[in-house]
Amino acid sequence: MRVDLHTHSNASDGALTPHAVAALAAERGLDGFALTDHDTLAGCRQLAAEPPPGIRFVPGVELSTVWSGVGIHIVGLDFDLDARVLNAGIARQTEARFARARRISEVLGKAGLDAPVEAITARAAGVPGRPHFAQHLVETGQVVDEAFVFKKWLGAGKPGDIKTGWAGLADVVDWIVDAGGRAVLAHPARYKLTRTKLRALVKAFTDSGGQAIEVVSGQQTPDITTGVARLARDFALEASVGSDFHRQGGHGHALGQPLTLPSECTPVWSNFDWRD
Ligand code: MN
Ligand code: MN
Ligand code: MN
């Protein structure tokens, strides 16, 4: 079964509508996918209301959290879209995203850049994210490329990397598990942690009730996949795969590329309650 369990639509910082992501996933020959927008279920609700033709899906979400001072992303998959605790938690995360957008706008203002929060939220069909700032600065000719914006102001540890307002790792895992879903530690290599600290993160995640880890993510190299597969084995975690697709030709991987798990891994999607 070819699946992609980490994708974004314009309900968060992706370019395509939820149904356009589904159509592209079907066109590229995937059997199933999950839309995992940042801190919102709006896109998944659109898919649930009008199931896309030609592809199966499960509800998904990518939740921002903080662990030990580091911003960590947890993907939730195959949960009850109406679960009360999860919805209350996500509502707070959505608010935190708007508050964060105001803070980022101020930070960039101090650096002499003009990124009014109204322009950013207007750009976001759903919740605002850092890529919306980068796109605004490029399109208004204030910087040459989006990567530069992340490198200088918005990336991990930079002044616009604002982590206040996010729930803790254990809380977010609780919300997903309470909603009957699988909690997945997203793109573990992306946090640039030392080996020791990464193991500590995976242990904290597992101790909190997290069930899976993204063994194959975006454009990572085969040696990273091998390392994460080893972590999955050591901590008895299921394995997920996801492109982190945001838009065609943009940040994140292309949709529909082969995302093949090492054979020793246990797929997180084995017992999914797919919708079609
Ligand atoms: Mn994103
Ligand atoms: Mn992420
Ligand atoms: Mn993502």
Side-chain angles (χ1 to χ4, degrees):
M1 185 174 189
R2 288 183 65 200
V3 301
D4 188 335
L5 303 175
H6 189 154
T7 67
H8 295 271
S9 76
N10 66 356
S12 66
D13 57 353
L16 305 179
T17 65
H19 281 92
V21 176
L24 187 61
E27 183 193 312
R28 298 271 168 88
L30 294 181
D31 301 301
F33 90 113
L35 186 67
T36 55
D37 278 309
H38 296 282
D39 302 300
T40 177
L41 297 180
C44 287
R45 286 192 193 291
Q46 289 179 37
L47 294 181
E50 199 184 320
I55 191 152
R56 296 190 282 182
F57 71 100
V58 288
V61 68
E62 179 170 19
L63 296 167
S64 301
T65 174
V66 189
W67 170 80
S68 191
V70 185
I72 302 293
H73 288 174
I74 303 296
V75 163
L77 297 171
D78 191 30
F79 46 80
D80 171 10
L81 266 178
D82 297 318
R84 195 185 54 80
V85 174
L86 178 65
N87 275 274
I90 290 176
R92 287 200 300 276
Q93 297 273 112
T94 298
E95 268 174 47
R97 277 200 168 259
F98 281 92
R100 184 181 74 148
R102 290 192 288 276
R103 295 267 311 273
I104 293 174
S105 180
E106 287 163 21
V107 165
L108 293 174
K110 280 184 194 142
L113 295 166
D114 183 42
V117 73
E118 300 75 22
I120 302 307
T121 51
R123 184 174 283 276
V127 295
R130 286 176 286 178
H132 295 122
F133 282 93
Q135 288 154 21
H136 169 84
L137 292 173
V138 171
E139 284 173 26
T140 53
Q142 300 182 70
V143 297
V144 272
D145 71 50
E146 293 179 22
F148 179 76
V149 181
F150 275 87
K151 198 172 161 203
K152 191 133 195 234
W153 295 290
L154 300 183
K158 302 298 172 190
D161 176 27
I162 299 189
K163 295 186 286 282
T164 51
W166 302 141
L169 179 73
D171 288 334
V172 162
V173 171
D174 271 350
W175 302 344
I176 297 165
V177 174
D178 174 81
R182 315 299 284 167
V184 183
L185 179 61
H187 43 61
R190 195 91 62 76
Y191 310 117
K192 300 192 169 70
L193 302 175
T194 61
R195 256 178 123 82
T196 308
K197 193 146 189 208
L198 179 57
R199 282 190 84 85
L201 167 63
V202 177
K203 181 169 192 316
F205 172 75
T206 308
D207 289 349
S208 302
Q211 302 115 319
I213 188 166
E214 226 169 54
V215 171
V216 180
S217 167
Q219 290 169 318
Q220 75 190 16
T221 54
D223 56 308
I224 289 178
T225 302
T226 304
V228 182
R230 196 171 303 135
L231 281 171
R233 182 198 64 199
D234 292 353
F235 289 89
L237 290 167
E238 296 171 347
S240 190
V241 298
S243 60
D244 209 359
F245 172 76
H246 281 72
R247 59 196 126 121
Q248 309 218 55
H251 112 257
H253 205 43
L255 198 62
Q257 301 277 319
L259 300 164
T260 310
L261 274 185
S263 57
E264 70 271 24
C265 291
T266 307
V268 67
W269 61 90
S270 303
N271 296 308
F272 273 3
D273 184 16
W274 293 101
R275 299 174 181 222
D276 48 18

